[in-house]
Amino acid sequence: MNAGTGRAARLVRHACLAAASLALLNPVAPAHGQTTQDSPAPTEPDHSDLVPAAEIIGFDFLLNRFNRRFSGSSDYDVSWGSIRRNLRGPWIVDNDPFKINQFAHPYQGSIYHDAARSAGLGYWQASAYTFVGSAWWEITGEQTPPARNDQVASGIAGSFLGEPLFRMARLVLENRSELPYVWREWAAAAISPSYGFNRLLYGNRFEDSFSDHDPIYYSRLRLGARRAVGQASLDTGGDKRQDAEVDFAMDYGLPGDEHYSYHRPFDFFSFRAVASSTGGMEVLSSRGLLVGTDFAAGDAYRGLWGLYANYDYIAPSLFHVSSTGLSIGTTGQWWATQNLALQGTALVGVGYSAASTSSASQNDRDYHYGMAPRLGLSLRAIAGSRASLDLDAQEYFIGRIANRSAGRDDVSRVDAALTWRVHGRHAIGLRYVVSRRSASFQGGNAAASLRLATVGVFYTLLGLDDFGTVDWRHGASARE
């Protein structure tokens, strides 16, 4: 993808966020072993290696034709000569617009991943298709030299993003709901277009190849307005001090349920997407347990630990940062008192990251790459079914390990929210966010220090009538 696909990327971006929010319309999961009455009868498990291969090649061909027709760029004038040249290399690091490289490419990779998943293949097989599909695009989709950074974004981050989208689409389709089944079909297709496309072509042929094992999950959708309350060294060319925001989040496979296991990648994941009226997609993140196991500590704590896969895209008005990497971490829940539970995830890792090196330019190309350490901490204090206090903090240290000559970027974001349940699934909340970037550049350029704080008021729609606590105490059902 390149700058010419901006219109298509914006459409995809808003469709992705809106569709993910539809998962909230399916709040009640069937009990263990229970099937839905309105679901089609199950078929024998099946899979296909040829279906995703053909779909990926066809998708890349159609995307090339679309870009060639509408982008106004000659980058897509592919020929046998350009293909032979790209096969010989070398691979480079390109400077396409940040949103294209760091958001559109991972989403493109998720199309590859979900094409394989929805054809009955497992996570690792789908990841291989994603990686090869990305390389196929780099060599045959554009005449420009293939880019290493695009291969990471599409070929690796695409799987880290695609697996949560696939599982959320399955969750929407399979769980009980007052919505008609056909509406859930459309919602699942909007969340994962590849899944919807294969269901359209093959019906239920591949459905029994995957079972979600009935995970306990927490989801919520925030709708509201926010206002900037503190900013410094701001040079963004007319930043608006207030705007509207849509914020969707899901924690899938919460620890504490004895019937649930973590043998497959992304049996636990956290997903979040935030879009604003002024900046479009502002946050898109996926953090899933890649390899790990669960554990218990006494009667009050249940958790899991292992190797996590991370894809983060954060683009407030001051700067942009994105990272694709791996982290060592743990997720758990502790019953502090009878009615107070603490949930949290702590991660320490490293990733291939990109960050702005100056305020956003019109072409959104002024950024650099590097291997970057990252820290992540997410906490939720839950007071029964009445209220929750959420804290999410992320920090990235770009330029500390590799590509140090391009400069240094230390980027952090702290997001705090208080949510009060009013009735049923309806709640109200307050949210405070601080985004900060401290950077220094080589060649005598001045250091930059950017900071933006916002406060917002939100209506919140909960996925269930509580905040996702898991109660295993005294023989209680895992679902509180």
Side-chain angles (χ1 to χ4, degrees), residues 389-458:
L389 178 62
D390 294 74
L391 176 68
D392 182 79
Q394 307 295 323
E395 186 150 9
Y396 309 86
F397 306 92
I398 301 173
R400 298 286 188 173
I401 297 178
N403 200 19
R404 301 177 69 175
S405 62
R408 173 189 57 80
D409 277 287
D410 292 345
V411 178
S412 64
R413 182 180 175 92
V414 178
D415 187 331
L418 174 64
T419 305
W420 185 269
R421 189 175 70 89
V422 178
H423 176 71
R425 298 164 58 200
H426 306 284
I428 57 175
L430 296 174
R431 179 165 169 243
Y432 180 75
V433 182
V434 178
S435 301
R436 182 190 63 84
R437 169 178 165 261
S438 176
S440 61
F441 313 117
Q442 302 297 322
N445 293 330
S449 179
L450 307 174
R451 180 180 179 275
L452 175 66
T454 62
V455 61
V457 180
F458 294 87

Side-chain angles (χ1 to χ4, degrees), residues 351-375:
Y352 188 60
S353 305
S356 302
T357 55
S358 68
S359 60
S361 65
Q362 183 178 358
N363 293 324
D364 195 20
R365 297 174 182 267
D366 193 4
Y367 59 96
H368 73 278
Y369 287 95
M371 293 299 296
R374 68 174 302 275
L375 302 174

Side-chain angles (χ1 to χ4, degrees), residues 1-2 4-6 8-9 12 55-71 76 78 100 104-105 107-109 111-112 133 137-138 140-142 154:
M1 290 188 181
N2 211 319
T5 60
V12 167
E55 290 177 344
I56 289 171
I57 293 173
F59 174 81
D60 280 355
F61 175 78
L62 293 176
L63 182 60
N64 171 270
R65 296 295 93 182
F66 177 88
N67 288 344
R68 187 170 183 174
R69 174 66 177 84
F70 296 105
S71 70
Y76 307 100
V78 175
I100 297 298
H105 272 298
Y107 189 79
Q108 180 178 345
I111 299 293
Y112 304 150
W137 169 261
E138 290 299 311
T140 69
E142 300 170 313
S154 298

Side-chain angles (χ1 to χ4, degrees), residues 164-321:
L165 294 179
F166 171 74
R167 288 186 179 232
M168 287 190 293
R170 290 292 300 255
L171 195 65
V172 168
L173 188 64
E174 294 177 354
N175 284 2
R176 293 177 296 168
S177 172
E178 296 178 355
L179 281 178
Y181 188 77
V182 65
W183 287 29
R184 283 183 278 148
E185 287 265 17
W186 282 105
I191 296 170
S192 175
S194 298
Y195 178 56
F197 182 72
N198 278 342
R199 281 187 57 83
L200 178 65
L201 292 183
Y202 305 106
N204 295 320
R205 174 183 169 185
F206 304 114
E207 287 300 285
D208 290 340
S209 62
F210 173 80
S211 172
D212 63 13
H213 298 164
D214 194 15
I216 296 179
Y217 67 91
Y218 165 72
S219 61
R220 56 112 183 104
L221 173 67
R222 292 181 184 143
L223 304 171
R226 64 183 182 182
R227 180 179 178 83
V229 294
Q231 54 193 34
S233 301
L234 182 61
D235 182 20
T236 59
D239 178 66
K240 295 184 178 180
R241 294 189 60 86
Q242 57 188 12
D243 58 6
E245 186 177 87
V246 180
D247 181 350
F248 172 79
M250 172 176 282
D251 294 334
Y252 174 107
L254 292 166
D257 184 356
E258 63 180 8
H259 300 285
Y260 190 77
S261 62
Y262 300 90
H263 298 152
R264 303 170 303 182
F266 285 81
D267 276 336
F268 169 82
F269 69 79
S270 293
F271 175 88
R272 190 174 186 187
V274 181
S276 68
S277 59
T278 58
M281 185 63 68
E282 185 170 305
V283 176
L284 185 64
S285 69
S286 167
R287 299 157 193 161
L289 184 66
L290 199 60
V291 179
T293 188
D294 55 341
F295 66 93
D299 296 330
Y301 188 87
R302 298 291 185 272
L304 49 102
W305 72 277
L307 181 68
Y308 287 69
N310 311 111
Y311 163 65
D312 296 313
Y313 171 86
I314 302 174
S317 58
L318 292 179
F319 51 81
H320 299 156
V321 62

Side-chain angles (χ1 to χ4, degrees), residues 268 270 287 308 329-332 343-347 376-379 394:
F268 169 82
S270 293
R287 299 157 193 161
Y308 287 69
T330 183
T331 299
Q343 293 180 345
T345 297
L347 301 174
L377 178 64
S378 299
L379 297 173
Q394 307 295 323

